[in-house]
Amino acid sequence: MKKNPLVQFSSKSSHSLPVELLSLIFLECCSTDLGYLGCPKLSRMTAPLNLTWVCSYWRQVALSLPQLWTDISLNPSNYVPSSADAQLLELCLSRSGNVLPLSLVLEYGTHSSPFPIFDKASTPEYKVYCRGMRRLAQILDRVRSRWRVLAVRSLVIGALDDFLHSIALGAPMLESFLISTKYFDLNGNYRTLDLARCPQLQTSTLICPDLILDLYLPDVSPLQSMSTLNIGYCQFQADAFAWLQSCPNLEKLSIQFFSAPPSALPHARPVTLSRLADLSIMCLLDTDPGPFLQLLILPRLRNFSFSTNGFVDTGAGGHWRHAIELLQRSGGAPLRGLELLETPMKPQELLLMLQLTPDLENLTIDDTLATDDVLEQLSAIGTGVPLCPKLETLELHTYLRSPNALAAMVSSRFFCSVDTASLESGDSRLSYDMPTYRTLKTLILVGSIISPLLDHPVFRDCHGRGLKIVQSC
């Protein structure tokens, strides 16, 4: 029988390695196969477990390093938590010591279940699944004082009751928290998330439409450390607003509204988030986020991404000025990046918004807003100052118009990184007598039916002089 080369190597030379050096090798080995949130994908065939099987020396060193066992990610092929999973979790925790913080990822919500688990809580399969998740939660509850990262993906909200109870009891070291469910609870059974006893929490990701924030938090917010918040499938704008009231020091905010009415929002007072720099709002189904935006004051906003997927209809003569009023209310926020896709805004409203953002460097819009008039206002033609005089990247989605207006705008704004004197002259060669506003470095077209831009002489010439052009489906 042919011997395992790893075993052969270890038997000859592993004992010659000092403990300190072998320890560093082990730690590096465990950091090379990282899963979600930097946690190794735990398996009996991967480090750190397989390091204990090579020889007694390796086993002794591996078991003497509790930091090898503090980052745990369970991602089995079977969607139901098994007894083997629980045993593996307990084994790693027993070897992690009693002090070091823990990073824990449980991936039991990414698989497709073979039964309608989401709407039949009485089925035996549902009960088995919830029982398995409950066992994992009970194991982790014993060490919740050491949680640093906790990410749990579940098929249904009903399987997370014990996790939510542990969170409510308190996790004083918890810094990053993710909870996600694959299926809706069609019976309307919502759960409450209480984070009052998690004072160190910095990042939260909630992709769970059946989970709402406990609205009875103390007057002094316990979430002062929260800097990043991601909410998916939010069904209530008031719930999203409650998060903002509880997290005054947010720096990054991403919200995906899902058929979310603005109930109770008209009676709320505006909130100022003085540190918020990145805001992303996406709307699915029938959601108008206007009332939500009306309550925000964001004086340091640098990047704003907004999409309603065409679900907000203002009518032929209607106006939607909420985004403009957000910038006006924020007192000239230093916006650097702006993305507007399938919004209810009209081109005239976009022009007003661009007038408020003279420092804009990255602009992403769709065909509805990328009219010839808008492109002309962005052009550096004549003696006037164009809109967005610092524009570096222009990204257009589903651009279906004639390329001529775009070509005129690009040729007047692109940044030339090539010495024009060294290039041959030709009919399509451009004039470079106005370098002041030549800031455009990248042009991106997504989902456009225009023939390849490099077939056009103007774009080909700009590309040859340094403009980066990206065209994708």
Side-chain angles (χ1 to χ4, degrees):
M1 180 181 294
K2 187 177 180 180
K3 293 185 178 181
N4 189 318
L6 181 62
V7 176
Q8 285 182 313
F9 169 80
S10 67
S11 63
K12 295 179 180 179
S13 58
S14 63
H15 285 70
S16 65
L17 294 176
V19 172
E20 294 80 6
L21 179 57
L22 190 59
S23 299
L24 290 175
I25 293 174
F26 283 0
L27 293 172
E28 181 64 25
C29 177
C30 290
S31 67
T32 57
D33 186 22
L34 300 183
Y36 180 78
L37 292 176
C39 292
K41 299 177 181 179
L42 192 59
S43 166
R44 288 175 171 79
M45 303 305 296
T46 60
L49 282 172
N50 62 357
L51 298 177
T52 65
W53 300 343
V54 176
C55 66
S56 60
Y57 179 57
W58 280 34
R59 179 178 178 83
Q60 181 182 2
V61 173
L63 295 182
S64 69
L65 295 170
Q67 57 267 47
L68 275 182
W69 309 92
T70 56
D71 297 336
I72 305 170
S73 177
L74 293 178
N75 187 11
S77 57
N78 187 13
Y79 65 92
V80 178
S82 64
S83 298
D85 296 339
Q87 293 171 3
L88 188 58
L89 179 60
E90 289 197 282
L91 176 64
C92 291
L93 292 176
S94 68
R95 295 176 175 178
S96 68
N98 300 312
V99 178
L100 295 177
L102 300 169
S103 295
L104 306 157
V105 178
L106 307 181
E107 295 277 5
Y108 290 93
T110 58
H111 307 287
S112 296
S113 62
F115 54 90
I117 191 173
F118 52 89
D119 62 353
K120 292 185 179 180
S122 61
T123 61
E125 296 87 352
Y126 182 97
K127 294 179 180 179
V128 169
Y129 179 81
C130 290
R131 187 160 53 246
M133 293 293 288
R134 184 178 303 114
R135 182 175 181 181
L136 297 179
Q138 291 170 348
I139 294 172
L140 293 182
D141 183 70
R142 305 170 198 160
V143 294
R144 58 182 164 82
S145 62
R146 297 169 56 199
W147 293 356
R148 181 182 65 87
V149 174
L150 178 65
V152 184
R153 297 184 186 274
S154 172
L155 291 176
V156 290
I157 188 66
L160 297 177
D161 288 340
D162 289 85
F163 292 98
L164 298 177
H165 178 68
S166 294
I167 288 289
L169 291 177
M173 295 179 64
L174 187 64
E175 297 177 1
S176 182
F177 176 55
L178 178 146
I179 193 165
S180 169
T181 55
K182 184 171 184 177
Y183 299 123
F184 286 80
D185 188 321
L186 300 183
N187 297 318
N189 296 318
Y190 294 99
R191 265 57 171 191
T192 300
L193 178 62
D194 182 357
L195 297 172
R197 294 178 177 85
C198 302
Q200 301 301 318
L201 195 58
Q202 300 174 15
T203 301
S204 289
T205 298
L206 307 173
I207 309 175
C208 183
D210 306 310
L211 187 64
I212 58 177
L213 181 67
D214 186 355
L215 299 180
Y216 298 99
L217 292 174
D219 292 337
V220 178
S221 172
L223 304 179
Q224 296 283 343
S225 300
M226 183 85 76
S227 61
T228 302
L229 176 61
N230 305 299
I231 305 176
Y233 293 98
C234 179
Q235 297 190 78
F236 302 98
Q237 293 187 39
D239 188 39
F241 188 68
W243 272 102
L244 305 191
Q245 292 175 310
S246 303
C247 308
N249 296 316
L250 278 178
E251 298 174 8
K252 295 182 180 181
L253 173 62
S254 176
I255 302 177
Q256 183 186 65
F257 287 117
F258 183 82
S259 189
S263 52
L265 279 186
H267 306 289
R269 294 181 179 179
V271 61
T272 299
L273 301 176
S274 59
R275 299 185 180 182
L276 191 72
D278 298 287
L279 173 62
S280 175
I281 294 181
M282 176 181 290
C283 301
L284 302 176
L285 295 185
D286 187 15
T287 300
D288 184 351
F292 179 80
L293 292 178
Q294 285 294 110
L295 294 173
L296 303 183
I297 302 175
L298 311 174
R300 295 189 181 180
L301 185 64
R302 292 178 61 88
N303 298 290
F304 180 36
S305 175
F306 178 50
S307 172
T308 64
N309 287 283
F311 288 114
V312 179
D313 184 12
T314 60
H319 298 282
W320 201 91
R321 296 176 53 88
H322 299 292
I324 299 174
E325 293 170 357
L326 168 64
L327 295 182
Q328 292 174 333
R329 193 166 52 252
S330 300
L335 210 62
R336 297 293 189 273
L338 176 63
E339 178 179 292
L340 302 172
L341 298 176
E342 298 184 273
T343 74
M345 295 179 62
K346 304 293 190 296
Q348 297 81 359
E349 293 162 347
L350 171 63
L351 292 174
L352 290 175
M353 197 168 184
L354 296 182
Q355 292 174 8
L356 298 172
T357 56
D359 296 325
L360 198 69
E361 297 174 355
N362 305 298
L363 175 62
T364 300
I365 55 178
D366 56 25
D367 182 75
T368 304
L369 297 177
T371 62
D372 291 355
D373 184 38
V374 169
L375 294 176
E376 182 179 352
Q377 296 288 333
L378 292 170
S379 301
I381 299 175
T383 58
V385 178
L387 289 177
C388 308
K390 299 181 181 180
L391 187 65
E392 295 184 3
T393 300
L394 176 63
E395 181 172 335
L396 303 179
H397 287 235
T398 61
Y399 185 74
L400 307 178
R401 304 173 187 271
S402 168
N404 295 332
L406 179 60
M409 177 266 166
V410 170
S411 65
S412 71
R413 292 295 306 274
F414 87 93
F415 175 80
C416 182
S417 61
V418 179
D419 183 8
T420 59
S422 65
L423 297 175
E424 299 178 358
S425 60
D427 294 338
S428 65
R429 206 55 69 201
L430 305 172
S431 174
Y432 297 91
D433 55 355
M434 293 187 60
T436 306
Y437 304 113
R438 291 195 174 279
T439 58
L440 189 66
K441 299 178 181 179
T442 305
L443 173 65
I444 303 173
L445 264 67
V446 179
S448 173
I449 64 172
I450 296 179
S451 59
L453 287 183
L454 294 181
D455 290 348
H456 194 287
V458 172
F459 294 114
R460 185 168 60 249
D461 188 84
C462 294
H463 178 68
R465 296 173 187 259
L467 179 67
K468 180 178 179 181
I469 296 179
V470 179
Q471 197 168 359
S472 62
C473 299

